[in-house]
Amino acid sequence: MSTVSYYTAEGLKKLREELDYLKTVMRPKASQDIADARDKGDLSENAEYDAAKEAQGMLEMKIAKLEEIHANARLIDESNLDLSKVLVLSSVKIRNQANGMEMKYTLVAESEADLKTGKISVTSPIGKGLLGKSIGEVAEIKVPNGVLKFEVLEISRD
């Protein structure tokens, strides 16, 4: 059973580009590697041929998985999202009530999460805790060493 994944336009474009690259560049290269290994002689004792065939199999599995993900991908329509609550694609400025530290995150689909760029998954503990909150509300997020309290300071769409 396949699961539906939600993507921004940018995330869906990256998925398509990766799939196209695997199909148009890597697939022909894998075929060429097999042909080159086959030309080297006896296939029963040709480790290079076996390795090339295995690499091709792994590539085809990756392509099939990405095709399934792409087939079940849904584009998020940002124009219909409510700005008064934290939702997917919201940029949220929060303050840790314990130490006063302020952070800004953008909540994205799990497949697009990248902490280095400030994008956190809506399925992460912080993402789940922030979903549905309004400005001024406090999100209590359970973590292994206790409970963190974050106050929502700002909600925007970047």
Side-chain angles (χ1 to χ4, degrees):
M1 182 170 187
S2 0
T3 57
V4 173
S5 299
Y6 293 94
Y7 286 86
T8 60
E10 175 189 348
L12 194 57
K13 182 179 178 221
K14 284 181 184 177
L15 179 67
R16 283 188 191 126
E17 286 172 353
E18 182 180 3
L19 190 55
D20 288 343
Y21 175 77
L22 292 176
K23 285 180 169 181
T24 60
V25 176
M26 296 306 292
R27 188 181 266 165
K29 182 185 178 311
S31 295
Q32 185 61 47
D33 290 347
I34 290 171
D36 291 346
R38 191 181 309 123
D39 291 343
K40 292 186 178 174
D42 184 13
L43 296 182
S44 65
E45 295 178 11
N46 190 337
E48 195 174 323
Y49 176 77
D50 293 338
K53 287 293 281 182
E54 187 173 331
Q56 181 189 36
M58 298 297 282
L59 175 67
E60 291 302 326
M61 281 184 1
K62 187 172 183 178
I63 288 171
K65 183 174 172 38
L66 286 177
E67 283 177 335
E68 181 182 349
I69 291 169
H70 186 263
N72 295 305
R74 301 293 180 266
L75 187 62
I76 299 168
D77 183 5
E78 296 179 52
S79 63
N80 294 329
L81 296 178
D82 184 2
L83 288 171
S84 66
K85 293 180 183 173
V86 177
L87 301 170
V88 68
L89 297 184
S90 293
S91 290
V92 185
K93 187 174 182 180
I94 56 176
R95 179 185 307 125
N96 185 331
Q97 290 192 322
N99 61 15
M101 191 171 142
E102 292 184 3
M103 298 154 278
K104 187 169 185 173
Y105 295 116
T106 302
L107 274 67
V108 295
E110 190 171 348
S111 55
E112 296 181 50
D114 181 11
L115 193 56
K116 291 178 193 165
T117 59
K119 294 179 179 180
I120 61 170
S121 168
V122 291
T123 59
S124 70
I126 293 175
K128 284 180 185 176
L130 291 173
L131 281 176
K133 299 289 186 240
S134 299
I135 294 175
E137 284 190 74
V138 175
E140 293 187 11
I141 299 160
K142 291 180 184 165
V143 293
N145 62 343
V147 176
L148 295 175
K149 292 183 181 184
F150 294 109
E151 180 184 356
V152 178
L153 302 175
E154 224 175 81
I155 302 170
S156 63
R157 301 265 183 260
D158 291 341

